[in-house]
């Protein structure tokens, strides 16, 4: 069977979500942007994405296909799973960027977050000392750690703003160099948020 | 005329889908009519079927009210709170089993088997007996067959517990169109979508389980943001606590331990439950218990009860806070709170919820009925009768696979909207390897041994090739019921890869099929028995009538041949009567009817003649 031909009525180039001719639900495409019918942009308006998610849920959810053919029921299940996965990934800026990076052939590994970004080396050194003191029962390290936590949260906000700028750059230029910068920033951000998490855990 | 009526009816009606709340303590069925969801009562008008199943002395399975009464006289053959055992292994329920008066059968590692008298039942079979009772009630009330249902489950139920519930439906002869989470169903029943948008917390403390769900409502869409809970926390725990205290108290007063006397324990259990329930409405009650001529009496105040159960209520607050955190919300952002489950009648529960969420909870609907009503709304959504509402639920637990060193690699995170999916590519580790075994677990812990083992999937018949060359893509898909489906594809050939499923807990598909066959066979057997009984009753009537007719003058008016034919038919019917073949009995009844037609006519004529004679005098 030709791609884009309806599985039910066989019409050529009939199919996207539903066949234009017989209205049968078609097998879903796996690409999140293509599936949602959205341009491949890194900057996404959250309200728009949510509206698309709700509108497509109403069209595709298995609850609506119980009395249809087994094949359409199966497609409804698969399509809704992709819809939910797509919404979960695309509404989160970090996951969204990672998705696009992976699609563009960048290697995204969790372990990359463990390399200390050079500009943070000194900071991390001091932090570890304070953490040791607190774990050793020295409560005087507490205010220092609280300060560190605030600093990390501030850095995280900065990283988010920078990420937003890079997203706009990529949407305008579509170049790999911007993607490489995004990847580096994501690694830095992940490192910072791990640090913030660690401090928070000790402060509790 | 009746035929026309039927045709007309047939073209108008869709098969009815009922909503069922299969609860720990009580179960209910509901349906949707033009005015909204309604509870289906039984023949006696009762709206609740106690979730109790008993095996009677003559080997019959009975469920509901009659079984509840047997709890006192035949505790070792009577099962209650079976929901706590669904989808669990023997090791999980040691604590529970210590309390139950019934016993488990040996060899219950993967699937629990309860020993009732000389027979064994799995928890899904026990639940099926309750479902069968609800199905029967619904069919009698609605006057039509009921074969499809929506069944509710605690939101925090794992895959095995959901699968066990679905199996119970199948065994009971119900096609389970959807499993719906109880708190979500309750939100549907409240029709809170009328307010167009808002955030709702549903606090559901039932007999055996606790759930908390936070939903976002928008134009008829009920989107669950997060859910949390404890599948082993509920009113039962309060009952057990009170029971233990009462038993201790009695022991010190009577110098006699009743803990091992299951009949005494059941009577006392009923008494403490009654006292607990009354204390929701009055400040103090008298707990009374009579056993073998002795009487125990104690005053119980609400104040004391609250002090005793405070730790149990506090156990619900941790999951509530975790749920808020996962939803990314603060208590101030919750617009409304809904209370579900009988235990939320306890004033202490209400005030705890109010304090936490800073909102006065909804209690307009009966907390025992609201889940079943919501299930009926979902049933109407599925049958297309309600089009403006849609539920988007989540999976309560993360799904992962065991990797090197027993570490879990998470594939689908908890609180993901379902259906949800994940794809992983697997390969072989040694040359010529034919199988790859994937261990799937559910839970939040890092090590597989600390999570709930779901199943082992065996990718088999892999073409022999050097290590690492095989590329098999496995797709894990959690469906709208919260149940995992696994498919696999060989990426080199594009062909489907066969997968063998070995569930860690619960029944295999073959076992469920066997139980369905057995229940259909026994249903057929029941049917045949009833037919024989009814045919014999009819035969009794005609045999008595013919006997009586022989003394009527009309008998003498028959020819010798006619009388001989009747005697022959009479003897043949008597032979058939003892054969137990209802078709043969019916055939002989018809035959006797035919040969006695003239006799009946003669009798009628002589009766008319007598009557006429009477009037002429």
């Amino acid at each position: 069977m030709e791609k884009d031909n309806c599985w039910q009525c066989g019409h050529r180039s009939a199919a996207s979500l539903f066949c234009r001719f017989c209205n049968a639900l078609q097998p879903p495409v796996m690409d999140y942007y293509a599936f949602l019918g959205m341009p491949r942009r890194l900057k996404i308006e959250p309200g728009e994405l949510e509206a698309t998610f709700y509108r497509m849920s109403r069209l595709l959810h298995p609850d609506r296909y119980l009395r249809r053919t087994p094949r359409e029921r199966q497609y409804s299940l698969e399509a809704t799973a992709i819809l939910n996965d797509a919404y979960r990934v695309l509404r989160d800026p970090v996951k969204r960027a990672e998705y696009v990076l992976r699609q563009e052939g960048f290697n995204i590994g969790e372990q990359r977050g463990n390399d200390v970004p050079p500009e943070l080396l000194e900071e991390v050194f001091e932090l570890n000392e304070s953490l040791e003191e607190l774990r050793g029962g020295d409560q005087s390290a507490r205010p220092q750690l609280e300060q560190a936590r605030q600093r990390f949260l501030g850095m995280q906000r900065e990283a988010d703003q920078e990420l937003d700028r890079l997203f706009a750059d990529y949407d305008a230029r579509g170049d790999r160099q911007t993607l490489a910068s995004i990847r580096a920033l994501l690694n830095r951000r992940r490192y910072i948020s791990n640090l913030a998490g660690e401090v928070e855990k000790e402060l509790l | 005329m009746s035929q026309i009526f039927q045709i007309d009816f047939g073209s108008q009606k869709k098969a009815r889908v009922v909503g069922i709340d299969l609860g720990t303590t009580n179960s209910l069925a509901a349906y949707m009519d033009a005015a909204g969801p309604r509870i289906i009562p039984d023949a006696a008008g009762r709206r609740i079927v106690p979730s109790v199943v008993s095996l009677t002395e003559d080997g019959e399975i009975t469920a509901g009210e009659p079984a509840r009464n047997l709890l006192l006289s035949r505790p070792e053959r009577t099962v209650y709170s079976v929901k706590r055992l669904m989808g669990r292994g023997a090791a999980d329920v040691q604590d529970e089993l210590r309390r139950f008066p019934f016993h488990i059968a040996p060899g219950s590692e993967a699937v629990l088997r309860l020993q009732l008298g000389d027979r064994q039942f799995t928890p899904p079979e026990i639940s099926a007996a309750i479902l069968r009772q609800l199905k029967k009630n619904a069919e009698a009330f609605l006057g039509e067959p009921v074969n499809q249902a929506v069944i509710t489950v605690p939101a925090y139920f794992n895959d095995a517990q959901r699968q066990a519930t679905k199996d119970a439906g199948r065994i009971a002869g119900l096609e389970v169109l959807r499993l719906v989470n109880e708190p979500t169903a309750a939100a549907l029943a409240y029709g809170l979508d009328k307010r167009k948008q808002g955030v709702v917390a549903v606090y559901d403390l039932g007999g055996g389980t606790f759930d908390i769900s936070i939903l976002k409502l928008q134009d008829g869409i009920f989107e669950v943001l997060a859910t949390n809970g404890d599948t082993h926390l509920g009113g039962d725990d309060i009952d057990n606590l009170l029971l233990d205290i009462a038993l201790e108290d009695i022991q010190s007063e009577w110098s006699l331990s009743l803990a091992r006397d299951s009949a005494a324990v059941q009577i006392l259990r009923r008494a403490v439950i009654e006292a607990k329930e009354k204390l929701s409405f009055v400040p103090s009650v008298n707990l009374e218990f009579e056993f073998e001529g002795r009487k125990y009496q104690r005053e119980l105040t609400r104040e004391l009860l609250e002090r005793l159960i405070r730790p149990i209520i506090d156990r619900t607050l941790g999951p509530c806070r975790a749920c808020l955190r996962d939803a990314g919300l603060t208590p101030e952002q919750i617009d409304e709170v809904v209370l579900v489950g009988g235990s939320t009648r306890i004033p202490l529960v209400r005030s705890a919820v109010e304090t936490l969420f800073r909102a006065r909870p909804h209690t307009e609907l009966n907390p025992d009925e609201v889940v079943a009503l919501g299930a009926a709304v979902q049933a109407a959504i599925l049958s297309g009768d309600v089009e403006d509402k849609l539920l988007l639920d989540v999976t309560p637990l993360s799904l992962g696979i065991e990797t090197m060193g027993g570490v879990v690699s998470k594939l689908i995170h908890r609180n993901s909207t379902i259906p949800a999916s994940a794809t992983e590519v697997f390969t072989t580790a040694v040359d010529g390897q034919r199988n790859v075994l994937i261990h799937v677990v559910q839970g939040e812990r890092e090590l597989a041994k600390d999570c709930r083992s779901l199943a082992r999937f065996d990718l088999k018949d892999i073409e022999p090739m050097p290590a690492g060359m095989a590329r098999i893509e496995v797709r894990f898909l959690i469906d709208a019921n919260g149940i995992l489906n696994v498919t696999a594809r060989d990426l080199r050939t594009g062909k489907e890869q066969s997968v063998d499923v070995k569930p860690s807990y619960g029944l295999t598909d073959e076992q469920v099929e066997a139980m369905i066959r057995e229940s259909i066979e026994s249903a057929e057997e029941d049917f045949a028995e009833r037919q024989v009984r009814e045919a014999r009753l009819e035969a009794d009537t005609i045999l008595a009538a013919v006997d009586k007719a022989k003394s009527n003058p009309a008998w003498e008016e028959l020819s010798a041949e006619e009388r001989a034919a009747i005697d022959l038919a009479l003897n043949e019917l008597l032979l058939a009567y003892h054969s137990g073949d209802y078709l043969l009995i019916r055939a002989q009844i018809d035959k006797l009817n035919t040969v006695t037609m003239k006799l009946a006519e003669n009798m009628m004529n002589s009766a008319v003649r007598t009557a006429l004679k009477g009037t002429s005098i």
Side-chain angles (χ1 to χ4, degrees):
Chain A
M1 191 176 69
E2 283 289 313
K3 212 168 154 265
D4 292 346
N5 286 7
C6 172
W7 63 267
Q8 185 167 275
C9 69
H11 257 98
R12 280 170 185 282
S13 307
S16 57
L17 269 185
F18 298 92
C19 171
R20 289 193 280 134
F21 300 94
C22 73
N23 209 27
L25 182 61
Q26 302 296 313
V29 292
M30 300 296 270
D31 179 83
Y32 294 163
Y33 283 97
F35 181 80
L36 295 174
M38 284 175 30
R40 198 172 200 73
R41 298 225 174 93
L42 277 176
K43 264 182 97 97
I44 287 181
E45 183 55 49
E48 235 167 78
L49 180 66
E50 188 190 68
T52 305
F53 170 65
Y54 286 153
R55 184 173 50 79
M56 289 181 76
S57 290
R58 282 185 209 275
L59 287 175
L60 299 173
H61 198 276
D63 284 4
R64 305 260 189 246
Y65 287 82
L66 228 68
R67 288 171 198 278
R68 303 282 275 271
T69 61
R71 193 155 171 178
E72 280 185 285
R73 286 213 300 269
Q74 184 59 33
Y75 289 155
S76 146
L77 178 61
E78 287 169 14
T80 309
I82 293 172
L83 174 64
N84 291 335
D85 299 345
Y87 183 50
R88 192 160 46 246
V89 167
L90 295 188
R91 76 178 150 180
D92 180 88
V94 172
K95 285 191 191 130
R96 187 198 313 148
E98 286 176 346
Y99 178 73
V100 170
L101 283 170
R102 211 176 285 120
Q103 279 194 324
E104 296 298 327
F106 283 84
N107 191 11
I108 306 284
E110 288 283 325
Q111 68 280 8
R112 292 192 155 269
N114 291 334
D115 306 330
V116 185
E119 71 277 16
L120 286 175
L121 267 173
E122 201 179 331
E123 181 94 27
V124 170
F125 182 73
E126 276 175 25
L127 174 72
N128 281 337
E129 265 184 356
S130 304
L131 282 175
E132 282 304 312
E133 282 167 25
L134 187 69
R135 284 188 194 119
D138 184 356
Q139 290 296 323
S140 67
R142 203 168 257 280
Q144 241 172 309
L145 282 172
E146 183 52 46
Q147 269 174 23
R149 190 176 82 100
Q150 290 304 333
R151 215 160 41 242
F152 291 139
L153 290 178
M155 286 165 131
Q156 207 171 312
R157 274 193 299 276
E158 268 170 46
D160 287 343
Q161 283 161 11
E162 175 66 10
L163 202 56
D164 211 44
R165 272 194 295 280
L166 287 173
F167 282 1
D169 285 354
Y170 178 72
D171 288 343
R173 295 204 287 269
D175 60 331
R176 289 185 70 78
Q177 209 182 334
T178 310
L179 284 181
S181 309
I182 290 175
R183 185 181 63 169
L185 182 60
L186 286 181
N187 285 339
R188 183 181 141 86
R189 191 190 178 282
R190 189 181 305 127
Y191 194 84
I192 296 166
S193 74
N194 283 349
L195 283 178
E198 219 171 295
V199 176
E200 225 154 274
K201 214 163 59 196
E202 290 301 324
L203 282 175
L204 273 179
Chain B
M1 185 202 104
S2 67
Q3 214 171 351
I4 292 167
F5 178 70
Q6 271 174 7
I7 290 165
D8 188 37
F9 229 50
S11 65
Q12 299 268 326
K13 275 188 97 108
K14 285 188 268 196
R16 178 100 65 173
V17 187
V18 296
I20 292 176
D21 171 7
L22 185 59
T24 306
T25 318
N26 293 310
S27 297
L28 301 88
Y31 74 108
M32 192 78 161
D33 78 359
R38 292 159 73 100
I39 298 292
I40 297 173
D42 71 1
R46 290 179 295 236
R47 297 159 76 81
I48 277 172
V49 171
S51 302
V52 185
V53 173
S54 190
L55 183 69
T56 63
E57 292 300 325
D58 33 343
E60 219 176 294
I61 300 169
T62 157
E65 200 59 43
R68 199 172 87 100
N69 293 328
L70 288 169
L71 201 52
L72 300 183
S73 57
R74 311 294 295 159
E76 73 293 343
R77 306 170 67 104
T78 307
V79 184
Y80 63 93
S81 294
V82 70
K83 192 174 181 177
R84 287 194 157 210
L85 306 179
M86 293 285 273
R88 303 183 76 89
D92 302 325
V93 291
Q94 281 313 317
D95 261 13
E96 239 103 335
L97 290 169
R98 196 170 48 81
R99 294 196 170 273
F100 285 134
F102 45 88
H103 304 289
I104 63 161
S108 290
E109 284 73 31
V111 183
L112 279 178
R113 287 176 196 284
L114 309 178
Q115 186 80 46
L116 305 186
D118 56 353
R119 291 173 65 184
Q120 295 182 1
F121 299 91
T122 61
E125 288 172 284
I126 300 289
S127 294
I130 301 164
L131 290 172
R132 230 177 266 128
Q133 184 62 45
L134 291 166
K135 178 179 189 297
K136 219 160 75 184
N137 292 352
E139 287 175 340
F141 182 79
L142 299 168
E144 61 187 273
V146 171
N147 298 311
Q148 295 181 317
V150 167
I151 302 181
T152 60
V153 290
Y156 221 55
F157 253 20
N158 66 29
D159 185 274
Q161 292 168 307
R162 286 167 193 270
Q163 192 61 60
T165 306
K166 222 177 156 193
D167 291 343
R170 281 170 70 195
I171 296 166
L174 286 168
E175 186 191 348
V176 181
L177 296 185
R178 178 75 77 244
L179 296 176
V180 182
N181 292 333
E182 285 155 12
T184 324
L188 263 185
Y190 261 99
L192 296 170
D193 52 319
K194 285 191 191 77
R195 61 173 289 149
K196 283 284 184 193
Q197 44 188 335
V199 179
V200 179
V202 183
Y203 178 103
D204 179 356
L205 188 59
T209 56
F210 170 66
D211 280 330
I212 174 80
S213 285
I214 296 176
L215 295 92
K216 180 172 164 186
L217 308 184
Q218 186 134 4
D219 295 323
I221 289 192
F222 292 67
E223 183 192 6
V224 179
L225 298 177
T227 192
N228 210 305
D230 186 335
T231 53
H232 272 70
L233 177 59
D236 278 4
D237 295 288
I238 296 175
D239 302 345
N240 288 336
L241 178 75
L242 298 178
L243 181 63
D244 285 348
I245 293 169
L247 279 170
E248 245 172 69
D249 207 25
I250 290 172
Q251 185 169 7
S252 64
E253 204 175 296
W254 294 3
S255 308
L256 171 69
S257 171
L258 293 175
R260 295 192 169 276
D261 187 324
S262 30
V265 168
Q266 289 312 319
I267 296 167
L268 187 60
R269 169 181 289 278
R270 212 178 253 201
V272 296
I273 290 173
E274 210 174 291
K276 171 192 80 170
E277 289 176 355
K278 276 188 190 152
L279 283 177
S280 290
F281 305 98
V282 296
S284 99
V285 291
N286 243 334
L287 174 65
E288 281 175 27
F289 168 67
E290 274 186 54
F291 190 69
E292 288 175 350
R294 299 176 81 166
K295 200 166 168 184
Y296 165 82
Q297 195 172 329
R298 171 107 346 182
E299 196 201 7
L300 253 182
T301 62
R302 187 188 288 173
E303 200 196 334
L304 175 66
L305 178 79
E306 291 187 344
R307 220 171 37 231
L308 292 172
I309 66 174
R310 169 68 76 176
I312 294 174
I313 309 304
D314 283 349
R315 276 173 63 198
T316 67
L317 301 181
C320 289
R321 293 195 193 98
C323 193
L324 275 168
R325 198 170 54 236
D326 286 347
L329 297 170
T330 60
E332 294 79 17
Q333 288 171 294
I334 303 291
D335 298 310
E336 304 194 53
V337 181
V338 168
L339 292 182
V340 186
S343 304
T344 61
R345 287 202 177 88
I346 298 173
L348 182 66
V349 172
R350 293 191 176 184
S351 66
V353 173
E354 204 171 325
T355 310
L356 179 67
F357 291 107
R358 290 160 219 180
R360 178 165 284 278
H362 278 279
T363 52
E364 300 93 292
L365 294 178
N366 181 336
D368 295 322
E369 295 183 351
V370 59
V371 168
L373 295 174
V377 177
Q378 177 66 10
I381 292 173
L382 296 180
S383 52
D385 295 335
V386 170
E387 288 180 335
D388 59 339
K389 292 186 189 13
L390 182 64
L391 274 190
L392 304 177
D393 223 314
V394 300
T395 181
L397 300 159
S398 298
L399 183 94
I401 48 175
E402 180 174 351
T403 60
M404 297 273 272
V407 175
V408 177
S409 161
K410 279 186 190 168
L411 298 177
I412 299 175
H413 288 263
R414 72 162 191 270
N415 292 322
S416 294
T417 307
I418 51 173
S421 67
T423 313
E424 278 284 304
V425 177
F426 293 86
T427 188
T428 47
V430 290
D431 292 348
Q433 188 178 333
R434 301 292 308 265
N435 291 50
V436 173
L437 205 61
I438 306 169
H439 183 205
V440 179
V441 299
Q442 238 179 346
E444 312 311 318
R445 304 283 295 276
E446 263 166 51
L447 294 179
K449 68 176 177 56
D450 299 323
C451 290
R452 183 78 185 161
S453 174
L454 248 181
R456 285 179 165 78
F457 294 89
D458 188 4
L459 308 178
K460 45 178 204 175
D461 305 327
I462 297 168
E463 201 186 309
M465 61 186 100
M469 288 290 284
R471 288 179 61 73
I472 297 156
E473 185 190 75
V474 180
R475 190 164 164 79
F476 302 87
L477 192 149
I478 299 179
D479 67 15
N481 300 312
I483 292 177
L484 176 68
N485 299 264
V486 170
T487 50
R489 197 162 56 102
D490 186 333
L491 286 179
R492 291 156 39 97
T493 61
K495 271 195 289 192
E496 200 170 305
Q497 165 78 43
S498 67
V499 189
D500 239 18
V501 191
K502 295 189 190 79
S504 309
Y505 300 94
L507 304 165
T508 62
D509 224 31
E510 290 76 36
Q511 286 173 309
V512 176
E513 290 296 337
M515 287 172 186
I516 295 170
R517 272 198 307 278
E518 201 178 295
S519 78
I520 291 172
E521 272 159 23
S522 71
E524 267 169 14
E525 201 180 309
D526 293 349
F527 178 78
E529 258 173 44
R530 201 169 62 234
Q531 293 294 319
V532 171
R533 208 165 49 233
E534 282 170 9
R536 279 180 180 161
L537 272 173
E538 210 173 306
D540 286 340
T541 315
I542 188 167
L543 285 170
V546 173
D547 255 356
K548 200 173 163 210
K550 278 184 174 180
S551 54
N552 189 292
W555 174 254
E556 298 305 324
E557 288 170 25
L558 295 177
S559 70
E561 291 81 30
E562 283 165 337
R563 285 200 294 262
I566 290 173
D567 280 333
L568 179 65
L570 208 63
N571 282 328
E572 279 174 349
L573 176 56
L574 280 172
L575 278 175
Y577 190 97
H578 296 289
S579 72
D581 179 346
Y582 72 90
L583 290 173
L584 191 61
I585 301 173
R586 294 222 171 268
Q588 293 305 332
I589 290 173
D590 286 347
K591 198 166 161 193
L592 186 58
N593 258 329
T594 315
V595 296
T596 53
M597 212 108 86
K598 178 135 186 250
L599 173 63
E601 237 168 71
N602 288 351
M603 283 168 70
M604 183 69 84
N605 288 340
S606 80
V608 171
R609 277 199 302 273
T610 319
L612 285 177
K613 257 189 241 157
T615 53
S616 66
I617 289 169

